[in-house]
């Protein structure tokens, strides 16, 4: 499954969908089909049939967990798999209903549908349409990098929160009763009240707990279809012993026969705000997960994928789900490894899986009528447990405690306020985290250290030598509106803390990758303040793109070319020559 090793000293860049010209760049599935090796066919057929055994129970379970009829989980599997096979850049990724999205969908569907299944399907379908449009627009705008703003601790926080939310939503079904409550905390309290009131169905709980234990036990062997074995065992137990009638165990019932018909998800105008916010949240979560999983398998298979085309593929699959009675979907971290372990070579695996499910609905819709609801809850709970991350959070707590608490804040936000507000909180925290390093960056006054090349932070090297009357000031961040005043203040502090009177300040600007209008104006104010004190402001190692911005902002008309030096050494030499300072350069003595 991996490519042949490249020649030593070279990296072979595989062709991507975006490398093709014209309309073919948007259809990487066709590009794969044109060069499809015949030897792959047997592997893809077998993998597709193996994966079907997992797609069916999982699709139904996640639909139920999202507040929708189970059949819609299969509808949300068939057409999206076909759409992603055409538009998706990953050779092996499997898309479909996902436990990470169940809590988000349920948050919107449950209060708005008022128990009407058809209305619930329409609401979820429109969420899928919003998510699809957001993903496609972001992909076309080449915004595939946006999920990189969500750091690993923040992703862990909201995924752990979603996992707990999903667990809380499925525990009542596992115990054989239902709870009408909105929000994780109310749901947890309602569950406790029902348990204390004696609402637990012991038979349903025994079946659900046994199913869950068997799934978790068989997870140790990836090639074993643990979910299929557990679900079939639970179904046979209910059917053979008549537990649906004798013990009140709720079952799925017969599925509607036939394939999903195209339909438009119509909703009331008043529902648009929660649907749009939910669709955007779904887009963020699904693409964050999909991009991570896609990159993981791309690295493993040495077939890099374009993150922008990944957005387009994910968006196309969600649009397909929306117009064929489905609901929002994402990549699957549980079904993709099953496909890989079964020998999948390309997206033909997904096509085979979709066709197999279609045949099931056409010819054998009653096959799953005795499937117990408590077993479906066990499937969702097992998947939610797989979302929980603990080990790496322990490592983060050990090496960077403040990021650990950021993760905990995201986790608490999802649990306390629900999936959508919690995800919004995660995004806000991610932006704050992103801005913080640039808002309060490190800065340093530089000096020369004997027998060490370059100029170094005098706080790290107390013995560093400084040129009398010269302050070498380094700013370790872009200059923009949020940190411009701090830059101004720290330069003046460096001047004030210089032992001899200062004649020149040289800003060593190599780390400064950008500057905005606000910061440029602050630089002018700094120059005025320094000139009033008889101090000249200069720059060294400034990047040409930053200089280009200063030219546009009019600073070159103010400074001219004179204050800009190519290197720090050149600036030091110019200062020493201008002020007759005897400065011994130890550069030649450095090892």
């Amino acid at each position: 499954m991996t490519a042949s090793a490249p020649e030593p000293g070279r990296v072979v860049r595989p062709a991507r969908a975006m490398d093709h010209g014209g309309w073919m760049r948007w259809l990487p599935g066709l590009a794969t089909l044109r060069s499809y090796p015949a030897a792959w066919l047997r592997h893809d057929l077998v993998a597709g049939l193996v994966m079907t055994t997992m797609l069916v129970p999982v699709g139904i379970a996640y639909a139920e967990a999202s507040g929708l009829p189970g059949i819609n989980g299969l509808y949300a599997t068939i057409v999206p798999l076909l759409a992603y096979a055409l538009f998706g850049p990953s050779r092996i990724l499997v898309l479909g209903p996902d436990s990470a999205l169940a809590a988000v969908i349920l948050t919107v569907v449950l209060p708005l549908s008022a128990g009407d299944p058809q209305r619930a399907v329409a609401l979820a379908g429109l969420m899928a349409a919003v998510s699809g449009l957001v993903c496609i627009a972001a992909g076309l705008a080449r915004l595939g990098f946006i999920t990189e703003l969500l750091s690993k601790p923040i992703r862990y926080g909201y995924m752990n929160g979603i996992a707990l939310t999903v667990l809380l939503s499925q525990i009542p079904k596992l115990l054989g009763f239902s709870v009408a409550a909105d929000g994780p905390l109310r749901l947890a309290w309602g569950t406790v009240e029902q348990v204390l009131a004696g609402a637990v169905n012991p038979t349903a709980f025994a079946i659900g707990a046994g199913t869950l234990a068997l799934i978790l036990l068989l997870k140790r062997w990836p090639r074993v279809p643990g979910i299929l074995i557990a679900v079939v065992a639970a179904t046979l137990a209910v059917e053979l012993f008549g537990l649906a009638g004798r013990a009140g165990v709720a079952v799925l019932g017969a599925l509607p026969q036939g394939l999903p018909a195209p339909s438009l998800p119509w909703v009331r105008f008043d529902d648009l705000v929660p649907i749009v916010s939910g669709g955007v949240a779904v887009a963020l979560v699904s693409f964050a997960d999909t991009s991570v999983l896609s990159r993981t398998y791309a690295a493993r298979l040495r077939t890099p994928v374009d993150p922008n085309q990944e957005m387009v593929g994910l968006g196309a699959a969600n649009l397909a789900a929306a117009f064929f009675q489905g609901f929002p979907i994402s990549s699957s971290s549980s079904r993709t490894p099953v496909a890989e372990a079964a020998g999948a070579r390309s997206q033909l695996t997904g096509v085979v899986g979709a066709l197999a499910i279609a045949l099931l609905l056409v010819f054998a819709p009653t096959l799953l009528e005795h499937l117990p609801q408590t077993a479906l809850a066990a499937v969702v709970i097992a998947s939610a447990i797989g979302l929980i991350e603990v080990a790496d959070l322990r490592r983060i707590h050990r090496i960077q405690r403040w990021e650990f608490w950021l993760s905990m804040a995201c986790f608490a936000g999802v649990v306390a306020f629900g999936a959508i507000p919690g995800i919004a909180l995660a995004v806000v925290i991610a932006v704050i985290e992103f801005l913080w390093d640039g808002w309060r960056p490190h800065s340093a006054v530089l000096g020369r250290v004997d027998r060490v090349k370059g100029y170094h932070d005098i706080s790290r090297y107390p013995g560093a030598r400084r040129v009398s009357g010269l302050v070498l000031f380094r700013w370790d961040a872009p200059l923009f509106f949020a940190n411009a005043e701090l830059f101004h203040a720290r330069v003046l502090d460096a001047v004030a803390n210089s032992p001899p009177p200062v004649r020149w300040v040289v800003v060593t600007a190599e780390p400064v990758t950008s500057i905005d209008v606000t910061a440029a104006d602050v630089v002018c104010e700094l120059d005025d303040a320094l000139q009033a004190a008889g101090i000249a402001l200069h720059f060294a190692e400034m990047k040409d793109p930053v200089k280009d911005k200063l030219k546009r902002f009019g600073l070159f008309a103010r400074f001219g070319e004179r204050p800009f030096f190519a290197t720090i050494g050149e600036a030091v030499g110019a200062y020493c020559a201008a002020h007759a300072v005897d400065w011994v350069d130890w550069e030649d003595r450095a090892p």
Side-chain angles (χ1 to χ4, degrees):
M1 293 181 64
T2 57
S4 59
E7 176 189 351
R10 297 200 180 273
V11 175
V12 177
R13 178 178 175 271
R16 301 174 300 175
M18 299 301 287
D19 295 331
H20 296 280
W23 57 271
M24 280 291 292
R25 64 185 296 192
W26 305 111
L27 300 172
L30 286 184
T32 301
L33 186 62
R34 290 171 63 181
S35 58
Y36 186 84
W40 286 5
L41 182 59
R42 177 177 59 86
H43 298 282
D44 283 336
L45 289 175
V46 172
L49 294 175
V50 170
M51 192 175 65
T52 303
T53 63
M54 190 174 184
L55 291 175
V56 173
V58 165
I60 294 172
Y62 293 164
E64 298 273 352
S66 302
L68 302 165
I71 184 64
N72 294 92
L74 301 185
Y75 293 164
T77 303
I78 298 172
V79 184
L81 279 175
L82 300 176
Y84 187 80
L86 186 62
F87 293 96
S90 174
R91 260 178 40 197
I92 195 174
L93 211 62
V94 177
L95 264 64
D98 189 60
S99 59
L101 302 183
V104 186
I105 301 169
L106 188 66
T107 300
V108 175
V109 166
L110 188 62
L112 296 180
S113 64
D116 182 355
Q118 294 306 314
R119 182 162 161 71
V121 171
L123 292 165
L126 198 55
M127 282 181 66
V130 171
S131 174
L133 291 173
V134 169
C135 286
I136 290 175
L140 295 178
R142 306 189 68 79
L143 298 178
F145 64 89
I146 59 175
T147 56
E148 296 172 6
L149 299 179
L150 295 177
S151 66
K152 184 180 288 187
I154 289 176
R155 287 203 307 269
Y156 287 160
Y158 78 67
M159 290 306 297
N160 284 348
I162 286 176
L164 181 59
T165 302
V166 171
L167 286 171
L168 292 174
S169 71
Q170 295 302 299
I171 286 176
K173 189 184 293 186
L174 186 76
L175 298 174
F177 58 80
S178 61
V179 175
D182 184 19
L185 298 182
R186 293 189 183 94
L187 188 59
W189 179 246
T191 301
V192 172
E193 287 183 327
Q194 290 281 64
V195 170
L196 295 177
V200 176
N201 183 325
T203 305
F205 175 59
I207 293 173
T211 304
L212 177 61
L214 188 55
I215 292 172
L216 295 178
L217 176 65
L218 295 178
K219 269 190 173 182
R220 300 178 182 179
W221 298 278
R223 291 182 179 272
V224 176
I227 291 178
L228 176 67
I229 292 172
V231 167
V232 168
T235 303
L236 290 175
V238 170
E239 183 177 3
L240 293 176
F241 296 104
L243 298 180
R246 291 171 53 191
V249 177
V251 295
L252 179 65
L255 297 173
Q257 187 172 23
L259 300 177
S263 64
L264 293 175
W266 295 107
V267 297
R268 294 197 299 258
F269 183 78
D270 296 343
D271 298 332
L272 288 181
V273 172
I275 286 174
V276 170
S277 63
V280 172
V282 161
L284 180 64
V285 173
S286 60
F287 186 68
D289 291 346
T290 300
S291 62
V292 171
L293 196 61
S294 177
R295 287 199 302 267
T296 299
Y297 279 94
R300 186 178 300 178
L301 302 177
R302 297 183 184 176
T303 55
V305 295
D306 190 302
N308 300 301
Q309 183 62 30
E310 194 68 77
M311 273 193 163
V312 173
L314 180 62
N318 270 282
L319 281 180
F323 296 120
F324 283 89
Q325 304 178 51
F327 54 91
I329 61 168
S330 179
S331 63
S332 172
S333 58
S334 58
R335 280 155 285 174
T336 303
V338 169
E340 183 194 27
R345 296 294 193 268
S346 74
Q347 284 298 329
L348 183 59
T349 296
V351 173
V352 172
L355 295 178
I357 296 173
L359 292 174
L360 170 70
L361 294 180
V362 172
F363 297 107
T366 61
L367 188 63
L368 303 173
E369 61 180 330
H370 296 288
L371 175 59
Q373 295 282 359
T374 187
L376 293 175
V379 171
V380 177
I381 289 173
S383 181
I385 291 173
L387 294 175
I388 297 173
E389 177 58 55
V390 175
D392 207 31
L393 278 175
R394 289 177 179 172
R395 179 182 67 89
I396 292 170
H397 180 268
R398 187 176 69 252
I399 63 177
Q400 186 89 304
R401 194 156 293 183
W402 69 269
E403 288 201 82
F404 170 83
W405 290 113
L406 276 181
S407 184
M408 291 298 100
C410 291
F411 170 76
V414 174
V415 173
F417 305 115
I420 294 176
I423 291 168
L425 177 64
V427 172
V428 170
I429 292 177
V431 172
I432 293 173
E433 182 189 13
F434 172 72
L435 291 175
W436 181 257
D437 286 340
W439 189 12
R440 291 293 182 266
H442 180 263
S443 61
V445 175
L446 307 182
R448 290 304 304 268
V449 181
D450 291 352
R451 304 189 182 281
V452 179
K453 286 188 175 184
Y455 294 80
H456 303 279
D457 186 348
I458 63 172
S459 66
R460 297 295 183 104
Y461 296 91
R465 296 176 298 110
R466 300 169 60 182
V467 182
S468 178
L470 174 64
V471 170
L472 298 174
F473 180 83
R474 190 185 70 211
W475 182 252
D476 293 340
L479 261 176
F480 64 111
F481 63 93
N483 63 24
E485 292 297 335
L486 182 65
F487 169 78
H488 185 283
R490 286 188 180 174
V491 171
L492 295 184
D493 288 344
V495 171
N497 294 330
S498 176
V502 177
R503 296 171 176 172
W504 276 23
V505 170
V506 175
V507 176
T508 64
E510 195 273 338
V512 179
T513 56
S514 183
I515 187 169
D516 65 7
V517 173
T518 302
D521 291 343
V522 169
V523 170
C524 292
E525 294 172 10
L526 175 64
D527 185 48
D528 290 338
L530 293 175
Q531 281 188 13
I535 302 170
L537 177 62
H538 297 265
F539 301 89
E541 299 183 341
M542 180 173 284
K543 293 177 169 60
D544 288 337
V546 180
K547 285 185 181 180
D548 293 340
K549 286 191 174 183
L550 294 183
K551 290 176 182 177
R552 290 203 309 272
F553 297 159
L555 265 69
F556 265 58
R558 176 191 182 101
F559 291 119
E561 295 278 357
R562 179 188 51 80
F564 296 90
F565 297 99
T567 66
I568 300 175
E570 181 182 319
V572 172
Y575 170 79
C576 293
H579 296 281
V581 174
D582 185 18
W583 172 248
V584 179
D585 192 346
W586 292 85
E587 188 79 28
D588 293 336
R589 301 190 186 182

